[in-house]
Amino acid sequence: MSIAQSQTPAQRANQRRVAFATIIGTTIEWYDFFIYATAAGLIFADLFFKPAGAQIGLLLSFASVGISFLFRPLGAFLAGHYGDKIGRRAMLVITLILMGAATTLIGVLPTYATAGVLAPIMLLLLRILQGISAGGEWGGAVLMAVEHAPKDRRGRAGAFPQLGVPLGMLLASGIMALMTGVISPGEQFVQWGWRVPFLLSIVLIAVGYIVRRSVDESPIFEEIAAMKQQTKVPIVELFRKHWLLVILAALVFAGNNAAGYMTTGGFLQAYTTNPKGPIGFERTDVLVAVAFAATMWFGFTLLSGYLADKIGRKRTYQIGFTCQALVVFPLFWMVNTASLPMLYLAFAFFAIGLGLGYGPQAALYSELFPASVRFSGVSISYALGAIIGGAFAPMIATWLVQATGTTTAVSVYLLVMTLISLTAVSLLRDRKGIDLSITNQAEQEVGATIFDKRRPVLESATVTVK
């Protein structure tokens, strides 16, 4: 029996709990992730990689941001495998605890001055754990949101876990600004202040755990479990039947992720606060500007969820990527004026494309993949897109500036990544409103790309309850 689209008051109340749980959980996850990226741009080069020198140390610091992305597919494989077999909710709780533990431990690490080469090794190991957690977190969160939603509201429901990214960045930047500007300014931030945002993670994780445990399992997974339709090895099935879909979905995310990691990955923070660079802003001023950018990003991500339900996921993406392509050159023109108001304006324009090209992702991905391998499909596509896009974007941007002495090369890099994503999403079909139930597996298996002209085999659409 398919999931009914009409909702009772109890179902609507549960959907609100799901929305709250997904947004709280993803905010905490991404706060943890961005705290590291912000610290990498501001201080980790000096604390953990100082013997390498200022320039190489900064590259190594950003490389430590990127290395976690290489382990996201492992998290996606594990969470996808077990999420398609034992459920979405259990994996959400596990990934949240793993991320929180890794982040809290970073807050008590010795620095290079105390522990020598052991310090950066331990830092990298904990960053890898963060990557594994982030790889598994996103798929479960978006499926809980989308699979609980009626078909005409999946875009806005799926935008809620997406809001955790700008909210996580807002929280991370806000707390870092509080530490650098009020609680532990100057040398105090270097000595101990940087640790506090990491240690706060243990409190946030406790809150997230309680919230996530309070929601019901996805109705789609409950249906799969009741019919005993779990795939034995979802990942093998995914790549055997849907490898092209995984590649295209990953490329859709790559351009948005590469652009987003100019701020969330710490590049613009490092570039604009470098005392030997062309701008030389104070840390706190830039962190407050990034918090402002996160607020704008939040607004446009939320708007894109509504647009995705009105005009479709694909068209919303195309508008977003067009806006992003138009701003990658003006972004740095405005930043390089060394004017703080222009920095705010640059971040505001940048947030438009970022939000419009991120909000529809949960609904688009969920509707691309069949129910039996959906967790694996959305998680692995997301993880691969993050590697292609954001993994080493801050390091690449830093190297380009060091090699060319200008940010023009960075703009060209972002433009190429944006055009790749625009092309990839244009090769997909918008499957807005498709029945996500396991009983509709036959339709879900075909027709997701413009190349796929197959029709569902109706006989295979009937699933017998065992």
Side-chain angles (χ1 to χ4, degrees), residues 50-364:
K50 191 169 185 177
Q55 287 194 336
I56 301 300
L58 186 59
L59 284 173
L60 290 174
S61 186
F62 281 139
S64 75
V65 174
I67 197 171
S68 70
F69 285 77
L70 300 180
F71 289 85
R72 277 198 190 185
L74 176 59
F77 276 102
L78 292 172
H81 177 79
Y82 289 106
D84 281 328
K85 290 178 72 69
I86 67 173
R88 285 65 162 125
R89 189 177 70 168
M91 297 314 301
L92 283 178
V93 173
I94 291 169
T95 54
L96 187 70
I97 292 172
L98 179 62
M99 176 69 87
T103 304
T104 303
L105 288 172
I106 290 173
V108 298
L109 277 183
T111 64
Y112 190 93
T114 304
V117 72
L118 186 62
I121 291 173
M122 290 189 292
L123 181 71
L124 290 176
L125 289 175
L126 291 173
R127 182 60 178 171
I128 287 169
L129 288 181
Q130 283 190 321
I132 292 172
S133 172
E137 149 70 19
W138 186 81
V142 301
L143 290 186
M144 286 290 285
V146 173
E147 291 181 343
H148 270 282
K151 64 181 181 181
D152 61 339
R153 295 175 63 90
R154 288 180 196 150
R156 65 197 80 175
F160 278 99
Q162 301 297 80
L163 293 173
V165 175
L167 282 177
M169 188 170 77
L170 176 63
L171 188 60
S173 299
I175 289 178
M176 277 292 195
L178 190 64
M179 296 307 299
T180 60
V182 180
I183 298 176
S184 58
E187 191 60 29
Q188 292 181 72
F189 180 72
V190 177
Q191 291 177 353
W192 61 268
W194 69 271
R195 298 182 182 274
V196 175
F198 289 92
L199 296 174
L200 283 176
S201 178
I202 196 167
V203 178
L204 297 175
I205 294 304
V207 173
Y209 175 82
I210 293 169
V211 170
R212 282 196 164 171
R213 289 284 297 172
S214 69
V215 300
D216 297 335
E217 178 58 272
S218 158
I220 303 294
F221 180 77
E222 288 182 336
E223 187 179 54
I224 293 171
M227 294 180 175
K228 304 186 187 305
Q229 293 296 313
Q230 296 100 319
T231 304
K232 288 184 179 180
V233 189
I235 294 165
V236 173
E237 185 76 2
L238 174 70
F239 281 101
R240 186 173 70 85
K241 290 186 176 181
H242 308 290
W243 61 270
L244 178 59
L245 198 55
V246 170
I247 293 172
L248 288 175
L251 291 177
V252 168
F253 183 41
N256 180 273
N257 200 235
Y261 263 78
M262 292 301 100
T263 51
T264 60
F267 168 73
L268 280 169
Q269 291 93 316
Y271 176 71
T272 55
T273 59
N274 183 356
K276 296 180 181 179
I279 299 174
F281 286 138
E282 293 294 325
R283 288 173 181 160
T284 304
D285 289 338
V286 174
L287 288 169
V288 173
V290 171
F292 165 77
T295 305
M296 296 290 293
W297 190 4
F298 176 94
F300 282 102
T301 300
L302 185 60
L303 173 63
S304 70
Y306 284 86
L307 284 176
D309 283 332
K310 292 293 184 183
I311 65 175
R313 293 71 162 113
K314 182 174 177 177
R315 188 173 299 174
T316 305
Y317 258 118
Q318 290 169 331
I319 293 171
F321 285 138
T322 301
C323 291
Q324 186 172 300
L326 291 173
V327 82
V328 291
F329 283 95
L331 168 72
F332 287 102
W333 295 340
M334 289 185 278
V335 167
N336 286 328
T337 63
S339 162
L340 199 57
M342 291 299 285
L343 180 68
Y344 276 78
L345 188 62
F347 282 172
F349 282 131
F350 201 40
I352 297 172
L354 286 179
L356 294 179
Y358 191 58
Q361 187 168 6
L364 178 82

Side-chain angles (χ1 to χ4, degrees), residues 66 257-259 261-262 267 387 389-398 410 413-414:
N257 200 235
Y261 263 78
M262 292 301 100
F267 168 73
I387 291 176
F392 297 102
M395 188 180 74
I396 291 169
T398 301
V410 182
Y413 162 63
L414 294 180

Side-chain angles (χ1 to χ4, degrees), residues 36-53:
Y36 186 99
T38 303
L42 294 178
I43 199 170
F44 277 180
D46 187 55
L47 292 178
F48 291 95
F49 305 102
K50 191 169 185 177

